[in-house]
Amino acid sequence: MKRPTDHPPVAAPRVGVMLVNLGTPQAPTASAVRTYLAEFLSDRRVVEIPRAVWLPILHGIILRTRPAKSAHAYAQVWTRHGSPLAAITRAQAEALQARMGEGVMVDWAMRYGQPSIPDVLEKMKKAGCERILVAPLYPQFSGATTASVMDRLGEGLAAMRWQPAIRTLPPYYDDPAHIEALRADLSAQLRAMAFVPQVLLLSFHGMPERTLHLGDPYHCQCRKTARLLGEALAGEFPGIRVEISFQSRFGRAKWLEPSTEDTLARLAREGVGQVAIAAPGFSADCVETLEELAIRGREVFEEAGGKEYAVLECLNAGADGMAMIETLVRRELGGWV
């Protein structure tokens, strides 16, 4: 196409895929965690308390006391590549790029922290992406996760005069490709363990119970994932009982139950000596799995009398997980590529 000599450069049209995860501080320090928590806990989707009540609590109490404690948790799992969640999400994007080829541009963003959704959106637009699939890596839908990504995406689009066409990846909590990826990956990990667990505990991130009563489908979708996964594993591991729990409670409100810590303590008291725990609501290992489950969860279980305890890895950038992501992405790109 002929353009005037003074016309600015125009990139060739491309299709983009943006993988999105929750977020992480930039460093395992109180200052970096404070910045991250300020953004995370200021989100009206995350904390639905009226602003006049919540903001004084957030800035007057929580951001003064919680960052140091959270920084200690992050420091225990930080790697030479930085935050585990950021490193794994980057690896997932790189692996998907290799699978999709040069015809599609794959990048990654975080809902909170860096790289931000608006920044990556602008980066992809400048690279010529006229059509972009935004893929929140949350299997189950929640207003505090998937819907919040959509809010931030809308803010990014609102600042753009020339916008790309947008598609979004739907929740995939019961998608056969997701259940099969979990089955294959967890089966391999269970077979490689030094002991046979009596119970496989499926731990999902918790949410305030009121979100369920307000119509959020998250609880039901977690339950369905657990049921389908349990059925898929039953034929290969008939002696392992599958249970479900919810972790990461915060504040005084009533949260979804049973809680993971309470369940681990109960199992040990009931005489269950061998437990394996998996987190099928997380697409990548992070502080909630590597510190909360692997370190604190073990302490709770062993202090209550448990003997053998193992935390299974998330799908991460492994072959099973990446095959699943590629399947979902290619399906949603139908007609674009």
Side-chain angles (χ1 to χ4, degrees):
M1 181 183 298
K2 294 183 179 180
R3 299 187 181 91
T5 56
D6 61 346
H7 195 285
V10 178
R14 303 178 70 183
V15 171
V17 176
M18 185 193 306
L19 303 183
V20 182
N21 222 314
L22 184 72
T24 176
Q26 295 299 103
T29 64
S31 176
V33 171
R34 185 176 297 107
T35 299
Y36 170 72
L37 288 179
E39 181 183 9
F40 175 51
L41 296 177
S42 293
D43 188 345
R44 295 174 183 269
R45 293 277 194 179
V46 174
V47 180
E48 298 181 280
I49 299 173
R51 301 289 93 180
V53 176
W54 173 243
L55 292 182
I57 297 173
L58 175 62
H59 293 281
I61 301 175
I62 294 174
L63 293 181
R64 294 176 182 271
T65 59
R66 190 172 179 85
K69 180 180 179 180
S70 294
H72 175 70
Y74 278 103
Q76 294 185 82
V77 301
W78 212 259
T79 75
R80 62 187 181 89
H81 301 293
S83 159
L85 181 62
I88 293 169
T89 307
R90 181 189 302 110
Q92 289 171 322
E94 292 172 351
L96 183 61
Q97 181 68 79
R99 287 170 172 264
M100 300 300 297
E102 293 303 316
V104 174
M105 176 182 176
V106 181
D107 210 334
W108 62 286
M110 292 293 178
R111 170 58 185 90
Y112 311 101
Q114 300 297 322
S116 73
I117 294 172
D119 286 350
V120 176
L121 187 65
E122 183 64 32
K123 174 184 174 183
M124 299 183 86
K125 183 65 179 66
K126 288 181 178 178
C129 295
E130 296 182 351
R131 304 179 183 195
I132 298 175
L133 171 66
V134 178
L137 296 181
Y138 307 119
Q140 297 81 22
F141 178 94
S142 171
T145 54
T146 313
S148 183
V149 168
M150 297 301 103
D151 292 346
R152 190 65 171 136
L153 175 64
E155 292 171 5
L157 291 170
M160 301 175 71
R161 182 169 296 276
W162 188 10
Q163 299 179 342
I166 296 292
R167 289 180 180 175
T168 57
L169 181 70
Y172 50 94
Y173 62 98
D174 62 348
D175 193 287
H178 181 231
I179 300 302
E180 172 55 23
L182 290 171
R183 184 209 63 78
D185 186 72
L186 293 180
S187 293
Q189 293 189 64
L190 287 169
R191 289 194 300 270
M193 287 174 52
F195 66 91
V196 178
Q198 296 168 263
V199 171
L200 171 62
L201 181 61
L202 303 179
S203 179
F204 295 84
H205 199 286
M207 290 292 295
E209 188 182 89
R210 66 186 296 272
T211 62
L212 169 63
H213 302 305
L214 289 172
D216 196 304
Y218 178 75
H219 177 263
C220 298
Q221 293 182 359
C222 290
R223 288 279 179 182
K224 187 169 185 181
T225 299
R227 177 176 63 79
L228 293 175
L229 180 55
E231 292 171 355
L233 291 169
E236 190 171 357
F237 303 98
I240 300 178
R241 186 170 87 244
V242 176
E243 294 198 18
I244 184 174
S245 63
F246 296 88
Q247 65 186 84
S248 307
R249 290 185 295 183
F250 176 74
R252 298 180 179 179
K254 184 176 178 59
W255 283 56
L256 297 177
E257 293 183 340
S259 82
T260 295
E261 289 194 357
D262 289 349
T263 300
L264 288 172
R266 172 183 61 79
L267 289 172
R269 290 195 301 268
E270 291 175 351
V272 175
Q274 293 78 33
V275 165
I277 189 166
F282 294 85
S283 62
D285 278 304
C286 52
V287 70
E288 284 85 1
T289 62
L290 300 173
E291 191 275 338
E292 185 179 355
L293 296 183
I295 298 176
R296 283 189 281 148
R298 179 184 298 277
E299 292 173 352
V300 169
F301 183 64
E302 292 179 349
E303 288 175 3
K307 304 300 181 184
E308 295 180 288
Y309 180 84
V311 177
L312 306 183
E313 294 181 355
C314 295
L315 290 172
N316 296 329
D320 294 314
M322 291 313 306
M324 179 267 295
I325 292 176
E326 181 186 2
T327 296
L328 299 180
V329 165
R330 287 191 181 276
R331 181 189 304 163
E332 298 306 316
L333 290 179
W336 279 8
V337 296

